């Protein structure tokens, strides 16, 4: 396992940053769409699919980063 400073680690960090930014933008879009009075079921299904995909990405990122944290000290 590397020290987290190599090319692959930096590339993974950049991809994760893009995915988190996309999730943030998607949440903003969802808030706008859900505030509209006339939204079609197709638009809601599309939004739900994109939100689900984004949540899977963010969950994977959280698990990956959590796995890299040092375990808490034992009392």
């Amino acid at each position: 396992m590397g020290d987290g400073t190599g090319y692959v680690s930096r590339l993974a960090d950049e991809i994760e940053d893009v995915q988190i930014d996309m999730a943030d933008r998607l949440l903003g879009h969802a808030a706008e769409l859900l505030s509209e009075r006339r939204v079609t079921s197709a638009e809601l299904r599309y939004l739900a699919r994109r939100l689900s995909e984004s949540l899977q990405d963010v969950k994977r990122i959280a698990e990956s980063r959590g796995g890299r944290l040092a375990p808490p000290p034992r009392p």
Side-chain angles (χ1 to χ4, degrees), residues 21-35 47 51:
D21 183 58
M22 289 173 61
D24 188 46
R25 291 173 187 238
L26 183 57
L27 285 172
H29 176 67
E32 290 174 14
L33 186 67
L34 295 172
S35 71
L47 176 62
L51 286 169

